[in-house]
């Protein structure tokens, strides 16, 4: 077996990603042209009015979902990556404090949880910088990773490299990190690509046909088992993404805890933040071109 890039030659790097979007979603309240279209019931309003019902659904993630998710992370001693929209942490500062105090990672999920792919270069850079400044204040450290709301512009990765980001996770193409080299105003610069996963994401509870908690757990465990087996001979990482308003429901949180317990029971599993995984990869895998000094 080749030497693993993970500490203690671990077979699998496991990344738990907690999305914090609540309070940063689209809303007429915040000047958007329409209400947030992502709804557990699949109700997509096409009129510019406030959807108070869906706003309360998102607020549930802060009020009731967050304490349950936090309790599971603490119970199983897991350091998670919180992909947080900056405004969400501003409106729920207790989560930012918990990220800092718990040794978790704050990764930028944008200034707000909105689409920025149509922005011109100046507006996009401002969006990135506002997120960095805000998250540094609420979570105690600046983000070095980025996750968009699914879509992004062709120039975003260059902007991220220029703004000091170590990794970009708007990618679903593999089960291990890799390097990309982008041309910046200061010359070529390498950035780590940290692939994410949609198939195991708890958003599957909100899609038709939606998963039951047991189906989601079974799928997550099966994903883990295959990657764990493959990790005996090749580099492997697993991403499991959850949301406060989704997995934090009473009927779903147990499945999250059972998965963490299962992963903890296996030897050779490195449960780490995405920043830790990206740094371990970078330390063991030379970039294809020498990046500019960070």
């Amino acid at each position: 077996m080749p030497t693993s890039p993970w500490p203690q030659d671990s077979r699998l790097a496991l990344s738990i990603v907690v999305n914090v979007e609540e309070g940063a979603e689209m809303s007429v309240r915040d000047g958007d042209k329409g209400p947030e279209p992502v709804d557990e019931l699949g109700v997509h309003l096409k009129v510019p009015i406030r959807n108070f019902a869906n706003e309360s659904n998102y607020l549930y993630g802060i009020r009731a979902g967050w304490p349950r998710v936090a309790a599971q992370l603490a119970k199983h001693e897991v350091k998670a990556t919180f992909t947080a929209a900056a405004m969400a942490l501003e409106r729920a500062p207790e989560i930012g404090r918990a990220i800092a105090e718990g040794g978790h990672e704050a990764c930028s999920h944008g200034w707000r949880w909105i689409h920025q792919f149509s922005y011109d270069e100046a507006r996009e850079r401002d969006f990135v910088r506002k997120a960095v400044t805000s998250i540094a204040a609420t979570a105690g450290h600046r983000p070095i990773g980025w996750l968009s709301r699914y879509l992004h512009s062709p120039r975003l990765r260059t902007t991220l490299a220029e703004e000091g980001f170590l990794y970009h996770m708007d990618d679903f193409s593999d089960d291990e990190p890799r390097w990309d080299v982008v041309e910046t105003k200061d010359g070529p610069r390498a950035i780590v690509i940290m692939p994410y996963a949609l198939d195991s994401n708890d958003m599957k509870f909100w899609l038709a046909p939606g998963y039951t908690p047991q189906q989601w757990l079974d799928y997550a465990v099966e994903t883990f088992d295959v990657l764990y087996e493959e990790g005996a001979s090749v580099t492997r990482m697993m991403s499991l993404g959850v949301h406060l308003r989704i997995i934090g429901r009473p009927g779903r949180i147990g499945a999250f805890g059972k998965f963490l317990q299962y992963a903890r029971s296996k030897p050779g599993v490195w449960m780490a933040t995405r920043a830790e995984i990206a740094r371990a990869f970078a330390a063991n895998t030379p970039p294809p071109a020498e990046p500019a000094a960070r």
Side-chain angles (χ1 to χ4, degrees):
M1 173 183 173
T3 301
S4 168
W6 315 137
Q8 289 80 52
D9 285 336
S10 298
R11 291 176 57 154
L12 179 66
L14 177 58
S15 165
I16 302 300
V17 176
V18 180
N19 293 271
V20 185
E21 301 155 350
E22 295 82 356
E25 74 276 8
M26 293 176 61
S27 173
V28 173
R29 168 197 61 194
D30 291 323
D32 298 309
K33 294 180 180 179
E36 174 56 50
V38 179
D39 187 316
E40 182 152 5
L41 295 176
V43 177
H44 185 178
L45 297 180
K46 300 187 183 298
V47 290
I49 63 173
R50 287 187 66 177
N51 186 342
F52 291 100
N54 200 29
E55 287 179 24
S56 70
N57 196 22
Y58 277 67
L59 185 58
Y60 184 95
I62 302 299
R63 289 181 171 172
W66 156 245
R68 294 188 182 113
V69 171
Q72 290 297 331
L73 294 177
K75 177 180 179 180
H76 298 285
E77 300 181 330
V78 173
K79 286 186 179 181
T81 293
F82 285 75
T83 47
M87 184 179 287
L89 292 186
E90 288 185 10
R91 289 176 167 171
E94 68 276 15
I95 299 180
R97 289 192 296 269
I99 292 171
E101 293 168 2
H104 302 290
E105 176 199 1
C107 170
S108 180
H109 203 5
W111 158 238
R112 292 184 57 206
W113 192 53
I114 57 177
H115 294 300
Q116 88 282 343
F117 65 89
S118 63
Y119 293 174
D120 62 25
E121 183 175 358
R123 188 180 180 191
E124 179 181 76
R125 191 176 298 273
D126 181 64
F127 188 79
V128 170
R129 288 177 173 176
K130 285 172 66 176
V132 169
T133 300
S134 175
I135 292 172
T138 55
H141 60 274
R142 69 144 290 170
I144 59 171
W146 183 278
L147 175 66
S148 303
R149 181 172 171 166
Y150 193 65
L151 303 174
H152 63 85
S153 74
R155 81 181 73 83
L156 176 64
R157 194 167 290 170
T158 296
T159 298
L160 295 177
E162 291 175 345
E163 294 298 321
F165 281 77
L166 171 64
Y167 72 86
H168 185 203
M169 57 184 286
D170 291 327
D171 185 279
F172 311 97
S173 66
D174 211 337
D175 294 310
E176 61 179 298
R178 70 175 190 278
W179 286 106
D180 188 22
V181 177
V182 294
E183 288 293 333
T184 73
K185 60 181 183 296
D186 297 318
R189 183 168 296 183
I191 187 170
V192 179
I193 307 305
M194 290 283 288
Y196 194 31
L198 295 177
D199 57 316
S200 55
N201 195 290
D202 71 347
M203 188 64 76
K204 291 289 188 175
F205 286 118
W206 277 22
L207 303 176
Y211 281 177
T212 66
Q214 188 60 52
Q215 288 171 328
W216 179 77
L217 175 60
D218 289 346
Y219 192 93
V221 167
E222 184 68 23
T223 301
F224 176 94
D225 286 346
V226 169
L227 294 175
Y228 184 77
E229 181 179 358
E230 292 178 351
S233 58
V234 294
T235 300
R236 285 291 179 259
M237 65 171 282
M238 176 181 173
S239 301
L240 188 76
V242 297
H243 299 73
L244 303 181
R245 65 188 179 278
I246 301 178
I247 205 65
R249 293 282 174 173
R252 298 171 181 152
I253 192 65
F256 183 49
K258 289 175 183 175
F259 175 81
L260 296 180
Q261 182 178 24
Y262 181 79
R264 273 291 185 209
S265 72
K266 301 294 184 180
V269 177
W270 182 40
M271 300 184 75
T273 67
R274 296 181 87 75
E276 290 172 330
I277 295 170
R279 288 185 176 120
F281 168 79
N284 284 275
T285 309
E290 188 66 25
R294 295 189 182 281

